[in-house]
Amino acid sequence: MADGDISDNEPTTRTLLRRVLDTEAPRTPRRRQSTRAGVQRTPLGTPFSMRLRSQTKTTAGRQPHRARSIGRLAHIQTRGQLKEQTPRTLLENILLTAPESSMVMPESAVKPVPAPQVVQVVQFSRRESSPGSLELQLPELNAPTTLAPGRLTSGRRKKRLRLSEFQQGMDQELPLSQGPVTEPPGNTGASSLSSSLNLTFATPLLPQSVQRPGLARRPPTRRAVDVGIFLQDLQDTSVATAFPGDRTPVATLPTDTVLEDTQPFSQPLIGRSPSVHHSLPYPSLSAERTVSRRTRSSGPGLQNNSPGKPAQLLAGKAEEVDALAMRFPNTSSGTSGVDGLEPLLGGVGEEVEERMEESMSLSEVKEATGAQASARAEEPEAHTEVAEAEGSWGAIEEKELEGSSGDKDTEGRTARPELASSTPEFPRARQLEFLEPAPPTSTAVGLFRQQVIPAPSLSSEPLEPLSARLPTRLQTAGPRLRQDPYKMGLSHYAKLFSFYAKMPMEKKALEMVEKCLDKYFQRLCDDLDVFAAHAGRKTVRLEDLELLMRRQGLVTDRVSLHVLVEQHLPLEYRQLLIPCAFSGNTVFPAQ
Amino acid sequence: MENDGKRSCLQPPHEVFWFLLQRLKAAVHYTVGCLCEEVASDKEVQLSRQTIAAISEVTFRQCESFAKDLEMFARHAKRSTINTEDVKLLARRSNSLLKYITEKSEEFNVERKTKKKKKLEDENKDSLEPAEAGGVGSEN
């Protein structure tokens, strides 16, 4: 061939390889050059085989293959010397004799580095293939090898693995790892991801579909209960006013029991007043049970019990609420914080006791309506918690959004004058009612009505109908909403505080902590409200929260909100807040 | 001396800025000192120099913070001008201060309104003045 003749004048590796890689089969070996090529190659052939042997010796795991290949190669070499040693034949020989290797990706891609000789190139490629397979470098060769398709598929698998890694984090990456190839990249990804996604283990993965954005864990049956609870609560509140001094037997309970109630769902928020007089017949019973529960709960720990406690307390109550509590182990901690007793009321223990009584009675299915009321009352908490959970997971934002539910609680507190959990509490409750008539009611009610936090994706749906229903609910059953979940939440925070303090804490200290938390959340919600009003809006939005964080000094010119989100939130929440571009030119969440 | 050398090494705008900053701080310090002297004479309490220096430093930094906050508030309300609303938002923490500012702003608004009205009235007939005065009085 003319081309061959021309190029043969300068038999460089590059030209030879090019000829090899050309699809046209050089049927005619370059006989003119054969002798010269043969002369050139034969001395190199031996070092080639020698080097091959040396290289193969280095690879320990492939000794049998290598031995076979060496034998074969030697045979081929001898054969090759007989026939024309074209580059193609050389490469074919190599392909045939290459050992079965794993799917390890070669460190470098095909290396058509212009080595001076074809053999050297082959050696080089051979060297690279020693850890891997040679056919990785020559996929274009027509020489059919079983390994080539295998390698391609492994590459595809690897690509798929990486994509899944990015998309779904660690949880799917581990089961997908398939051998040595996938493990190294997977492990690096895992190590990098694990550091940032420690929390993802606790929470199940989000569905990636946009149709159900965010945490699709809302129990559907909630709304159906609300109306019944509301009506029942209306009756109950009217009845409850007739029994002011019923709480005397309850007052004897120790105050540390307040720490028990960590789950807002477990506490019948609105059904308190009905169960007040209903629970009277069973003070001893409930006292025993509550005491036992408290000892149980206070013993093991703090926040770890929060998922456990609702399970206990919600024995006979709305399972969806319980399920929600279980599903949000972390948010429940926040929600239970919301349920914390108001320290200002003083009789924290008694109130908790009553709530326990109520829960007990509810679990006994004697106060079905009370249970409904509590479930309903807890639902807004749960919803707010859901909003909180999806909106802010980190400690920073958790507090802020916690304040939203806390604000609801303030409203509830002011609006329940007659809810005397105990005789000592009752005059204090009255005092409270009078002490904070105007500002909390106005601000709290306004805030409560405004607290439809349009979370980027999640809880706008449940929040909106709730908010629509809640204003009407507040006027009658608001105080209970405020008191129980709010106090429970505060007490939960106090427990967290004592846990992280790693030291035993006095009850008074915990109460002070609760008081401070209360003031903090009050101010938080006030600020959010004012910021929203300043922008001429009635809805608190993300910008308001960012402004608040800026004022707090968490978001600075150096540290933006996105940085904080990335630092503190797990991936699922982060995806809700920071728009990520997915395949197909879709951005989620849509902005 | 080393500081002077560093300052001279700076580019002109930075150097000028730093110089002006120092002048501003000095002015604030002087004003704070005068106010502190007044308060000291009122309460018959002595104030040391370090105290006055500390107060002036805190005042200066707080003014910086206020300025940043005001700008943030104005931007939050999608405005490019700082308004009295922004100032009120800033002062909402302290009730007495907020009240004071609100009263002052109302007075200011009233004054502006009366001025505008007077200008209009001067252009219009004189018979409108008593009615406007009565209206202004009712507003007050």
Side-chain angles (χ1 to χ4, degrees):
Chain A
M1 290 177 287
D3 294 344
D5 295 342
I6 291 165
S7 54
D8 280 342
N9 294 329
E10 304 171 340
T12 60
T13 314
R14 188 182 288 280
T15 55
L16 289 169
L17 261 183
R18 188 172 293 140
R19 242 179 280 125
V20 167
L21 296 178
D22 284 343
T23 52
E24 57 174 321
R27 302 274 178 218
T28 60
R30 300 177 298 286
R31 292 209 179 88
R32 279 182 236 171
Q33 301 292 333
S34 64
T35 54
R36 204 172 74 181
V39 165
Q40 284 176 355
R41 284 170 202 144
T42 42
L44 294 167
T46 45
F48 167 73
S49 56
M50 277 163 50
R51 272 180 223 186
L52 179 64
R53 282 192 210 105
S54 64
Q55 285 165 25
T56 51
K57 277 171 194 167
T58 58
T59 62
R62 304 187 180 92
Q63 289 288 340
H65 295 286
R66 294 290 179 178
R68 266 193 287 116
S69 64
I70 287 166
R72 275 196 289 171
L73 192 58
H75 181 63
I76 287 163
Q77 285 285 340
T78 54
R79 263 196 302 123
Q81 304 242 340
L82 297 174
K83 73 177 184 183
E84 300 292 339
Q85 269 212 345
T86 62
R88 175 175 284 275
T89 56
L90 267 178
L91 293 168
E92 281 177 0
N93 294 338
I94 289 157
L95 286 171
L96 288 171
T97 60
E100 303 284 334
S101 68
S102 67
M103 304 301 183
V104 174
M105 185 72 115
E107 297 84 20
S108 56
V110 181
K111 288 259 180 91
V113 175
Q117 302 293 336
V118 174
V119 175
Q120 284 186 9
V121 169
V122 167
Q123 284 173 1
F124 192 51
S125 59
R126 192 69 174 135
R127 212 171 285 134
E128 287 169 357
S129 69
S130 55
S133 56
L134 181 67
E135 31 313 321
L136 295 172
Q137 302 170 10
L138 305 168
E140 309 91 338
L141 268 187
N142 293 336
T145 56
T146 54
L147 297 171
R151 179 254 166 189
L152 287 174
T153 52
S154 74
R156 262 182 247 121
R157 249 178 273 127
K158 275 172 281 177
K159 282 179 202 163
R160 247 181 269 123
L161 173 70
R162 288 201 193 103
L163 191 61
S164 66
E165 275 178 20
F166 279 116
Q167 273 187 352
Q168 295 160 10
M170 283 165 39
D171 294 341
Q172 299 194 6
E173 178 246 336
L174 291 173
L176 275 177
S177 60
Q178 298 170 357
V181 178
T182 58
E183 273 173 10
N187 286 339
T188 53
S191 59
S192 63
L193 284 171
S194 59
S195 59
S196 60
L197 297 178
N198 282 328
L199 292 174
T200 53
F201 280 124
T203 57
L205 288 173
L206 276 179
Q208 289 296 311
S209 64
V210 186
Q211 285 129 14
R212 299 196 75 192
L215 310 168
R217 298 173 192 166
R218 289 175 245 116
T221 59
R222 271 189 187 169
R223 295 173 203 170
V225 188
D226 291 343
V227 179
I229 296 166
F230 174 53
L231 294 172
Q232 183 60 38
D233 198 61
L234 276 172
Q235 296 175 5
D236 295 336
T237 49
S238 60
V239 176
T241 53
F243 296 79
D246 288 334
R247 297 291 183 169
T248 38
V250 183
T252 56
L253 283 174
T255 53
D256 58 353
T257 57
V258 66
L259 303 176
E260 156 92 36
D261 296 324
T262 55
Q263 286 309 310
F265 318 117
S266 65
Q267 300 313 311
L269 302 169
I270 300 185
R272 283 209 55 178
S273 62
S275 52
V276 164
H277 31 278
H278 289 290
S279 63
L280 288 177
Y282 334 100
S284 58
L285 261 181
S286 54
E288 294 165 11
R289 283 188 224 177
T290 51
V291 167
S292 64
R293 277 195 187 164
R294 277 167 201 148
T295 52
R296 241 186 302 150
S297 61
S298 54
L302 297 175
Q303 66 266 24
N304 297 330
N305 284 337
S306 56
K309 281 174 212 165
Q312 304 167 9
L313 299 170
L314 290 170
K317 280 172 72 171
E319 282 81 12
E320 68 271 12
V321 176
D322 201 1
L324 185 72
M326 296 308 293
R327 267 179 257 150
F328 289 96
N330 299 311
T331 58
S332 67
S333 64
T335 55
S336 61
V338 172
D339 281 341
L341 286 180
E342 185 56 45
L344 293 175
L345 283 182
V348 166
E350 292 108 358
E351 251 190 319
V352 173
E353 164 62 12
E354 290 171 357
R355 260 182 282 129
M356 298 298 295
E357 291 172 9
E358 293 167 356
S359 65
M360 291 309 305
S361 58
L362 289 168
S363 62
E364 292 166 357
V365 196
K366 296 205 178 176
E367 300 295 322
T369 58
Q372 283 180 354
S374 64
R376 170 176 63 94
E378 290 162 357
E379 285 173 15
E381 298 309 323
H383 282 302
T384 54
E385 294 313 324
V386 163
E388 293 178 17
E390 79 71 22
S392 67
W393 174 247
I396 301 162
E397 301 180 293
E398 190 182 45
K399 280 186 290 185
E400 291 160 350
L401 286 178
E402 186 69 37
S404 66
S405 53
D407 185 72
K408 268 202 287 188
D409 297 330
T410 57
E411 189 176 19
R413 167 172 51 163
T414 56
R416 38 189 300 223
E418 68 280 0
L419 185 68
S421 53
S422 65
T423 40
E425 267 182 349
F426 184 63
R428 229 170 303 175
R430 272 206 188 130
Q431 271 180 2
L432 260 188
E433 176 197 8
F434 295 133
L435 278 173
E436 35 191 34
T441 43
S442 57
T443 58
V445 170
L447 270 168
F448 185 59
R449 296 224 172 99
Q450 292 174 14
Q451 287 295 341
V452 181
I453 300 177
S457 63
L458 171 66
S459 42
S460 51
E461 305 168 3
L463 271 180
E464 283 160 9
L466 267 180
S467 64
R469 244 175 286 127
L470 281 167
T472 55
R473 206 190 298 168
L474 280 171
Q475 290 144 12
T476 55
R480 217 164 294 111
L481 265 176
R482 162 78 169 103
Q483 203 160 11
D484 294 354
Y486 185 64
K487 282 191 183 169
M488 274 193 63
L490 288 185
S491 71
H492 183 75
Y493 274 122
K495 283 167 99 172
L496 278 175
F497 186 87
S498 69
F499 171 74
Y500 282 112
K502 293 179 179 128
M503 288 173 60
M505 283 187 66
E506 285 185 346
K507 282 151 207 164
K508 293 222 165 176
L510 285 176
E511 284 176 14
M512 287 312 297
V513 167
E514 286 184 15
K515 211 183 239 184
C516 295
L517 281 173
D518 175 26
K519 291 207 156 69
Y520 175 74
F521 289 138
Q522 285 271 336
R523 173 153 296 183
L524 202 84
C525 291
D526 285 345
D527 283 354
L528 285 175
D529 180 31
V530 163
F531 289 157
H534 186 241
R537 280 185 268 111
K538 290 184 185 175
T539 321
V540 177
R541 290 195 158 251
L542 198 63
E543 301 95 62
D544 303 324
L545 202 65
E546 180 158 6
L547 189 66
L548 179 78
M549 291 182 76
R550 189 167 266 274
R551 289 221 64 183
Q552 284 181 337
L554 294 164
V555 173
T556 64
D557 296 333
R558 288 185 175 181
V559 177
S560 83
L561 184 65
H562 282 197
V563 169
L564 288 176
V565 166
E566 286 176 23
Q567 274 181 0
H568 298 281
L569 295 190
L571 188 65
E572 294 88 2
Y573 301 119
R574 178 200 152 162
Q575 278 177 343
L576 299 174
L577 289 170
I578 302 177
C580 314
F582 287 85
S583 72
N585 267 348
T586 58
V587 175
F588 176 77
Q591 284 203 338
Chain B
M1 295 302 149
E2 293 173 353
N3 285 341
D4 293 338
K6 278 184 195 169
R7 282 205 301 279
S8 60
C9 291
L10 290 172
Q11 293 180 6
H14 296 281
E15 192 177 335
V16 166
F17 179 70
W18 189 89
F19 182 60
L20 288 176
L21 204 66
Q22 288 297 301
R23 278 189 63 185
L24 193 60
K25 279 189 188 173
V28 166
H29 182 80
Y30 176 70
T31 316
V32 165
C34 292
L35 287 170
C36 286
E37 278 184 24
E38 282 185 31
V39 169
S41 63
D42 266 351
K43 310 283 181 185
E44 296 171 3
V45 176
Q46 298 288 329
L47 284 175
S48 67
R49 289 192 176 279
Q50 290 87 4
T51 316
I52 298 177
I55 294 173
S56 68
E57 178 75 21
V58 166
T59 314
F60 193 76
R61 288 200 195 163
Q62 194 73 336
C63 284
E64 281 187 17
S65 164
F66 284 162
K68 285 186 191 158
D69 286 347
L70 285 171
E71 185 201 342
M72 267 181 351
F73 290 149
R75 196 181 304 147
H76 185 245
K78 299 182 183 84
R79 277 186 268 112
S80 61
T81 324
I82 292 176
N83 213 357
T84 49
E85 300 299 320
D86 300 325
V87 177
K88 283 185 205 168
L89 194 65
L90 189 71
R92 77 191 180 287
R93 285 301 163 89
S94 142
N95 285 337
S96 57
L97 185 62
L98 181 62
K99 251 173 58 177
Y100 184 73
I101 288 180
T102 329
E103 287 172 3
K104 283 285 178 184
S105 72
E106 283 175 10
E107 285 180 24
F108 187 64
N109 284 341
V110 164
E111 283 180 22
R112 279 173 57 191
K113 281 181 190 171
T114 52
K115 280 183 190 172
K116 282 184 185 175
K117 282 173 186 171
K118 278 183 184 172
K119 283 183 188 172
L120 288 171
E121 288 155 12
D122 291 339
E123 293 171 1
N124 295 340
K125 303 171 188 176
D126 295 340
S127 58
L128 287 171
E129 284 184 10
E132 289 298 336
V136 168
S138 66
E139 279 177 21
N140 284 333

